[in-house]
Amino acid sequence: MGWIWAIIVGFVLGFIAKLILPGKQHSPLWLVVAMGTIGGLVGNGIASAFGVRYTHGIDWTRHLFQLIAAIVLVAVGESVYTAVKRKNVRR
């Protein structure tokens, strides 16, 4: 059940990251969900390193780390996807 929640959270994080990034992104939904899911996992790791993964109440700091990681990964994924797509079109 943990992976299902990770994918759901990844979808939400990826969607929010896509909204925050400027301009139009052309990456497919599966890539946004994958980058959001990985961003959530990376954000959890960073929160653990700072000792704020488990706190009383809502873990706002952990969620912020997850969102920042998702934004970075969605931006990188978009750049790579666009570069690969352009390279394939030129052939």
Side-chain angles (χ1 to χ4, degrees), residues 8 15 19 24-25 31 37-40 45 52 55 57 60 69-71 75-76 83:
I8 291 169
F15 182 73
L19 288 175
K24 183 174 180 177
Q25 291 85 33
L31 183 61
T37 303
I38 295 169
V52 293
T55 59
W60 292 112
I71 290 169
V76 169

Side-chain angles (χ1 to χ4, degrees), residues 34-76:
M35 294 297 113
T37 303
I38 295 169
L41 296 172
V42 169
N44 283 342
I46 294 170
S48 292
F50 282 102
V52 293
R53 183 167 180 187
Y54 300 109
T55 59
H56 297 292
I58 299 174
D59 297 331
W60 292 112
T61 308
R62 178 175 57 111
H63 296 317
L64 182 64
F65 284 134
Q66 290 175 331
L67 183 60
I68 291 169
I71 290 169
V72 170
L73 289 173
V74 167
V76 169

Side-chain angles (χ1 to χ4, degrees), residues 17-35:
K18 203 168 176 171
L19 288 175
I20 291 173
L21 289 171
K24 183 174 180 177
Q25 291 85 33
H26 302 285
S27 53
L29 179 63
W30 65 266
L31 183 61
V32 173
V33 172
M35 294 297 113

Side-chain angles (χ1 to χ4, degrees), residues 81-91:
Y81 179 79
T82 303
V84 168
K85 195 170 180 180
R86 274 191 207 144
K87 185 177 179 182
N88 288 338
V89 170
R90 289 182 188 168
R91 289 183 181 193

